[in-house]
Amino acid sequence: MSTLRDNWRVILLVVAVVASTFALFSPTVGGQPAVGEENSLTNVKYGLQLNGGTRIRAPLVGITAEDVEFENETDRVVEQQVAAELSDADAADVIARRGAESSTVEVTIENVTTDQLAAALDAAGYTHGEIRDGVTETTRQETVRVLQSKINEAGLSGGSVQQVTTATGEHFILIEVPNRDPSSVRELVGERGTVQIDIYHPTTQNGSRVYETREAVLTQADFTSIGTAQEPQTGGGSFVPVSVKDDPAPGFQQAVKETGLAQPGGTRCTYNDDPNTTEGCLLLVVNGEVVNAFGMSPSLADSMRNEEWAEAPSFQLQTRNTTEAQQVAINLRAGALPAKLDLSGDDGGTTSFISPTQGESFKSDSLLTGIVAVLAVAGVVFVRYGKPEVALPMIVTGLSEVYVLLGFAAAIGYPLDLSVIAGFIAVIGTGVDDLIIIADEVMAEGSVTSRKVFQSRFRRAFWVIGAAAATTIIAMSPLAVLSLGDLQGFAIFTILGVIVGVLVTRPAYGDILRLLLTEDR
């Protein structure tokens, strides 16, 4: 029992190594593997640089007016009033937000200048402060959330979205998707992802038959359940089963009755063939484009007229093919982007692609670099001490530190890239350096005759190591917190390596040295 108590630091290191082994190799850890990692022996996930894929860095389209006086009007009314004063804009392109200190109005469409927004606010009767390029922090955070949801819904495992800020204060959205070409990623993230249902129906004006469109009778916010894209057994097109919330259901039911869609026998929609001769249609509009038009079956029309549909409001969104159905489902689940990404590249945005072949080359080069670093460190240690009982535990303990970090990365699903690999190599260097300090301090005054002498020397060495660790953590913390791209991964794993070293591996190495060098162990 006393042996376990005296060597608990070594036991803690063994537990950490066993836990890392479980995280690295257990099939219950890591979730669904990314494309290209299905046959991997470990749960380690690789980032863009090691797997290949697409990286997009782009600003958001928009301008913002600060310190806008809303008075007692609702945000929705403000959005409608401002949009009415701007050409080619509707209420969905304007975001009004009340803040504790300042209220803002954002316009998120292209080609609107600060002067035009100022004129629109003045015409709508709202006083305002400074008008600047760019959107608010809230809009950027919401954009990151929606884009991450779209990537997850599309099944792009390993894809990540984050906000990054340059040294000059410019804000960008950084998207990384392994194993995907730029065109498919741009297609997924380039559109705002709006989905709505319009009613297109014939009416009579001055004795003539004309068509009207009642827009947005259902929007994304009105759906409570979105199924997966399916193909009907009879063939022909695809559909997405959806359920509608209880609040908007009666209004939609009334709208299809008033416009004649819920007529006896239902309606037959021929909008895609000739929109000027069709009966009433429900239009499925995605990103402002009509992707399909469909009528209403007799049974659904009957339930609408009898006002039974609103008691269990659900139906199917018909599309022309499975690809469109999948896109509709993704957009409905993820929601609409509050602002579009500016993918033109005019404002500092970039798109880069690393081929899978190049990524494999980076993997092999990184592995080779790691092996060379380990061999170099091992050679220096053996030359320095010439004692296997000192050098071998030092090398094993230093490598176990990297192994524990790999297990941690696998457990949380953190993708490894070149910056993280650089962090591992830095951990090897700083870790072995600290272990050398311990060995030198313990052996500096000749042989260690007792545990008491060893503990005294070890404590002196540990104070030096602790001070160096604190300095490293303080120096690296800004890089770990700020969104500075690759530097963030390097800083995070360097800090984690220092913490694991101070709390686990350095004390364990001290216990191992005590067991090997002292007589009263």
Side-chain angles (χ1 to χ4, degrees):
M1 193 70 178
S2 61
T3 302
L4 293 177
R5 185 173 61 251
D6 292 341
N7 300 302
W8 66 269
R9 298 175 183 85
V10 178
I11 295 172
L12 179 61
L13 177 59
V14 172
V15 170
V17 170
V18 171
S20 297
T21 302
F22 178 81
L24 284 168
F25 299 103
S26 173
T28 62
V29 177
Q32 193 71 17
V35 177
E37 296 175 2
E38 296 90 342
N39 300 319
S40 176
L41 297 177
T42 70
N43 296 321
V44 173
K45 295 185 182 299
Y46 298 103
L48 187 71
Q49 295 167 336
L50 300 181
N51 241 5
T54 297
R55 170 184 286 176
I56 294 176
R57 190 189 80 155
L60 293 177
V61 174
I63 55 177
T64 302
E66 306 279 0
D67 301 320
V68 182
E69 297 292 338
F70 291 177
E71 298 179 354
N72 296 322
E73 294 182 348
T74 64
D75 295 353
R76 183 63 175 170
V77 169
V78 174
E79 292 167 354
Q80 293 172 340
Q81 297 270 4
V82 174
E85 301 296 335
L86 294 169
S87 59
D88 301 325
D90 56 35
D93 301 318
V94 180
I95 304 172
R97 283 197 175 93
R98 296 178 187 272
E101 299 180 357
S102 172
S103 298
T104 59
V105 170
E106 302 166 80
V107 177
T108 58
I109 57 173
E110 298 171 333
N111 302 321
V112 175
T113 65
T114 55
D115 291 339
Q116 289 172 331
L117 177 54
L121 289 168
D122 292 339
Y126 301 113
T127 59
H128 58 85
E130 177 191 5
I131 299 179
R132 58 174 177 82
D133 291 327
V135 296
T136 62
E137 175 66 19
T138 303
T139 297
R140 290 192 293 270
Q141 292 176 354
E142 178 67 10
T143 300
V144 169
R145 183 197 66 77
V146 173
L147 286 174
Q148 188 66 64
S149 296
K150 293 182 76 169
I151 288 174
N152 294 342
E153 291 293 340
L156 302 183
S157 178
S160 64
V161 184
Q162 61 179 311
Q163 181 187 166
V164 296
T165 305
T166 67
T168 57
E170 297 175 298
H171 301 284
F172 293 89
I173 303 299
L174 180 65
I175 303 164
E176 295 184 341
V177 182
N179 293 292
R180 286 296 185 275
D181 60 272
S183 60
S184 61
V185 177
R186 290 168 70 99
E187 182 180 353
L188 176 66
V189 305
E191 297 293 344
R192 295 186 65 176
T194 58
V195 177
Q196 67 182 44
I197 304 297
D198 296 347
I199 295 179
Y200 181 81
H201 63 99
T203 186
T204 301
Q205 291 184 1
N206 300 323
S208 301
R209 179 185 172 95
V210 296
Y211 284 87
E212 292 182 349
T213 301
R214 186 176 295 191
E215 296 183 349
V217 289
L218 287 177
T219 64
Q220 287 169 296
D222 297 329
F223 295 101
T224 183
S225 174
I226 297 95
T228 57
Q230 302 179 33
E231 295 183 2
Q233 295 180 348
T234 57
S238 296
F239 65 90
V240 178
V242 296
S243 297
V244 180
K245 294 179 180 178
D246 291 337
D247 290 343
F252 176 71
Q253 181 175 260
Q254 185 64 28
V256 297
K257 290 166 57 180
E258 293 175 352
T259 54
L261 262 72
Q263 62 186 4
T267 54
R268 181 174 178 271
C269 177
T270 58
Y271 179 92
N272 294 327
D273 298 326
D274 186 357
N276 296 317
T277 61
T278 183
E279 296 179 357
C281 301
L282 290 174
L283 303 183
L284 177 59
V285 183
V286 179
N287 297 319
E289 177 185 356
V290 178
V291 300
N292 203 8
F294 44 95
M296 186 167 289
S297 67
S299 59
L300 182 59
D302 289 343
S303 66
M304 292 286 187
R305 288 197 318 278
N306 297 332
E307 298 186 353
E308 297 173 351
W309 178 84
E311 298 176 4
S314 63
F315 63 100
Q316 297 174 352
L317 297 178
Q318 305 288 336
T319 63
R320 291 171 292 198
N321 52 58
T322 303
T323 300
E324 285 183 352
Q326 291 172 339
Q327 189 64 45
V328 168
I330 289 171
N331 289 338
L332 283 174
R333 291 195 188 99
L337 286 174
K340 283 182 61 176
L341 291 168
D342 184 358
L343 300 176
S344 64
D346 296 336
D347 293 323
T350 58
T351 300
S352 58
F353 174 69
I354 298 175
S355 69
T357 303
Q358 189 176 13
E360 288 297 326
S361 176
F362 285 156
K363 283 183 187 178
S364 59
D365 290 346
S366 299
L367 179 61
L368 178 61
T369 302
I371 293 174
V372 170
V374 171
L375 292 177
V377 169
V380 171
V381 169
F382 272 107
V383 170
R384 172 71 177 80
Y385 294 102
K387 293 184 177 182
E389 66 269 22
V390 175
L392 283 177
M394 187 180 295
I395 295 170
V396 172
T397 305
L399 292 179
S400 66
E401 194 171 309
V402 175
Y403 190 78
V404 169
L405 290 179
L406 277 172
F408 178 80
I412 66 174
Y414 195 99
L416 303 187
D417 55 23
L418 295 180
S419 67
V420 176
I421 301 299
F424 287 163
I425 294 174
V427 165
I428 293 174
T430 58
V432 173
D433 182 51
D434 288 347
L435 298 180
I436 289 174
I437 292 174
I438 293 174
D440 282 353
E441 183 65 34
V442 169
M443 301 170 61
E445 302 176 17
S447 60
V448 184
T449 58
S450 67
R451 175 184 295 188
K452 184 176 181 180
V453 171
F454 179 91
Q455 294 290 7
S456 175
R457 296 178 183 180
F458 177 77
R459 278 195 293 269
R460 288 202 302 267
F462 203 78
W463 275 109
V464 176
I465 292 170
T471 302
T472 301
I473 292 173
I474 292 172
M476 289 289 182
S477 293
L479 298 180
V481 174
L482 297 176
S483 301
L484 297 177
D486 292 342
L487 291 176
Q488 190 172 42
F490 171 77
I492 288 173
F493 278 87
T494 300
I495 291 174
L496 286 174
V498 169
I499 293 174
V500 170
V502 171
L503 297 181
V504 181
T505 57
R506 276 53 149 185
Y509 178 68
D511 278 359
I512 294 171
L513 275 187
R514 176 176 53 78
L515 290 170
L516 296 175
L517 298 180
T518 62
E519 296 177 1
D520 54 339
R521 302 174 183 177

